[in-house]
Amino acid sequence: MQRRCNPLKPSGLAVKFGFNAIMIVLSLLMILPIIYIFNHAFKPYHELFIYPPRFFVQEPNVQNFVELFWVTANSIVPASRYLFNSVLISVLSVIGVTLVSALCAYPLSKHPFPGRNLLFATIILMLMFTPEIIQIPRYLVVSNLGIMNTYWGHLLPVLAAPVGVFLLKQFIDQIPDALIEASKIDGANEVITFLRVIIPMCMPAIATVAILAFQNSWGNVETSALFMQDDEMKNFPFFLSTLTNNLANNVARQGAAAVAALIMLVPNLIIFIILQSKVISTMAHSGIK
């Protein structure tokens, strides 16, 4: 007997096509803010304040970029100085956070010692605290260490990253102990085992921690506001937050602010696009559902 198809029941191809169409529409909606930021940075002033507002730029130019870097060049601290500080601090933070997190996660995962579970539970508990709770203790520590108005004041407060330790520890847990024992039989010490066995196998997790560390450092205003009194030691997000403050009107420097917002977006966007596959792999192997 021939099986009759139910005309009311959608076929698998139709369901797949409909699902893909919905995903495409949602993707376009999610990418609209990014497109708007790019368009906004190239709008001349008469388009920035036109009513009703236009989504796409009609007469693009680079006058806003000139305003940001050339007009502020005559300031006490030019915008390029803030940008240099942000780039330097972000690079050092990514290296420091990934290294410290890996060095903490490896013994927690593969070296049993008294109090290991209590220490890991304490690290997990730290995820519950908001940054506002530890602002005063952090300020006292930085002040007593004498690293105010230094790059160390930007770097040291962000080195301890509980999320990075958690992700790397969960990833290292899945590495077979036999690999570590084999490396030790071949004569490798702990440092060689860590660098040549653990690190290469944890690259997806390390890439994820690097993205999180960069995002946290690149958009961080707290260290500049609390620990830096000299403007030349502050970073670009702090400059962006004060770009249009204390002005007589809301029109001045709006173009420069639009360009600054674009500069803040582009590095995060590029890094995430390059390392997004690593992030997905990490989430699949770290117990995050």
Side-chain angles (χ1 to χ4, degrees), residues 241-274:
S241 66
T242 60
L243 191 60
T244 58
N245 291 345
N246 301 321
L247 295 178
N249 55 71
N250 294 325
V251 177
R253 296 186 182 175
Q254 287 297 329
V259 173
L262 177 62
I263 294 175
M264 291 297 300
L265 168 70
V266 169
N268 282 317
L269 182 63
I270 294 175
I271 291 178
F272 184 79
I273 291 175
I274 295 175

Side-chain angles (χ1 to χ4, degrees), residues 188-205:
N189 55 25
E190 287 292 343
V191 176
I192 299 300
T193 301
F194 176 75
L195 294 177
R196 296 189 177 182
V197 178
I198 301 299
I199 294 298
M201 298 191 68
C202 292
M203 287 308 297

